[in-house]
Amino acid sequence: AIFEKQYLFAIQYWVLVKDSIGGLNVGAPVVHRGLQVGKVLRTDYIPEGRNLLDKSMDIPVLIEINPGRLGLPDSEDSLLRATNDINTWIQQGLVATIKSRNFLLGSQLVNLQYEEGTTQAELSYFKELVVIPTGVDSLEKFTESIEAFIAKINHLPLESVVGKLDLLLDEGTATLVSFQQLANSGESLLGDERTME
């Protein structure tokens, strides 16, 4: 953290998350295509009059994006350009998803990506800041892929595969026995007095 480059200028956005944000901490990276473009600023905001136990409540996550991380100069002039660009990209399908950063530690990050079918004519606002829409949760995608994989396994003709494997093991055992017999014959031949003369 000490040696990380410090950026002076940033644009703030809200991401309204429907699922769990466990493991998403303040300072967690905001990335696009594997490169950091910002960080998480706040995860503990609950709007006045709302209740966290209300199942319809989205959890607000405040993030910032640094123009200097996007390839623009880290200057005030870049703020306007970056804001206009990002707002246009949001309308073209830029979404935010909560993605696992480390499976062992359970830490998460905010991933910015383009998602088909999420274009919108108007920007949404929350607490006077633009909202980046949320995409399909990465855990949901992972679960779906695991379920599809298990379904494929269930449809494999495992009985015939196991039968062929048994046959292959039998043939391998027979080959080893034949090899052992050949080795024994060789030892007998080498140990014969007539072959030693």
Side-chain angles (χ1 to χ4, degrees):
I2 292 173
F3 293 107
E4 182 182 347
K5 182 176 178 180
Q6 301 299 312
Y7 292 90
L8 299 176
F9 297 93
I11 313 158
Q12 294 184 357
Y13 291 91
W14 285 105
V15 177
L16 303 179
V17 183
K18 298 184 182 302
D19 298 311
S20 172
I21 61 168
L24 184 67
N25 300 314
V26 172
V30 175
V31 302
H32 175 61
R33 297 170 68 183
L35 298 175
Q36 185 170 354
V37 295
K39 64 182 178 182
V40 174
L41 296 178
R42 187 172 182 184
T43 61
D44 63 348
Y45 178 73
I46 300 176
E48 187 176 345
R50 297 301 305 269
N51 189 321
L52 188 59
L53 295 177
D54 181 356
K55 65 180 181 180
S56 67
M57 179 187 153
D58 296 337
I59 300 175
V61 175
L62 183 63
I63 67 170
E64 71 174 17
I65 298 175
N66 306 106
R69 292 184 188 268
L70 301 177
L72 299 172
D74 186 28
S75 65
E76 191 170 354
D77 292 337
S78 296
L79 285 175
L80 181 59
R81 177 183 169 184
T83 300
N84 290 333
D85 286 346
I86 294 170
N87 291 350
T88 299
W89 296 333
I90 291 171
Q91 292 176 299
Q92 293 174 351
L94 184 70
V95 297
T97 58
I98 307 302
K99 188 175 180 181
S100 178
R101 182 181 181 189
N102 186 312
F103 281 111
L104 294 177
L105 299 178
S107 59
Q108 300 196 94
L109 53 76
V110 176
N111 184 51
L112 300 179
Q113 63 190 34
Y114 287 92
E115 196 169 271
E116 295 291 332
T118 56
T119 57
Q120 56 183 34
E122 299 292 331
L123 295 171
S124 299
Y125 290 84
F126 178 77
K127 299 291 291 182
E128 300 178 355
L129 294 177
V130 173
V131 173
I132 299 179
T134 51
V136 177
D137 182 59
S138 58
L139 181 59
E140 184 178 331
K141 285 183 178 178
F142 179 73
T143 303
E144 288 176 358
S145 65
I146 289 294
E147 288 175 352
F149 177 72
I150 290 173
K152 286 182 180 179
I153 291 292
N154 287 337
H155 287 91
L156 286 176
L158 291 180
E159 289 182 6
S160 64
V161 171
V162 169
K164 289 178 182 177
L165 183 59
D166 285 340
L167 181 61
L168 186 62
L169 288 173
D170 290 342
E171 289 177 358
T173 303
T175 303
L176 287 174
V177 169
S178 299
F179 182 76
Q180 185 63 46
Q181 290 173 347
L182 182 63
N184 292 338
S185 298
E187 287 178 7
S188 299
L189 182 63
L190 290 173
D192 195 314
E193 293 180 359
R194 288 173 296 179
T195 59
M196 295 177 68
E197 292 178 355

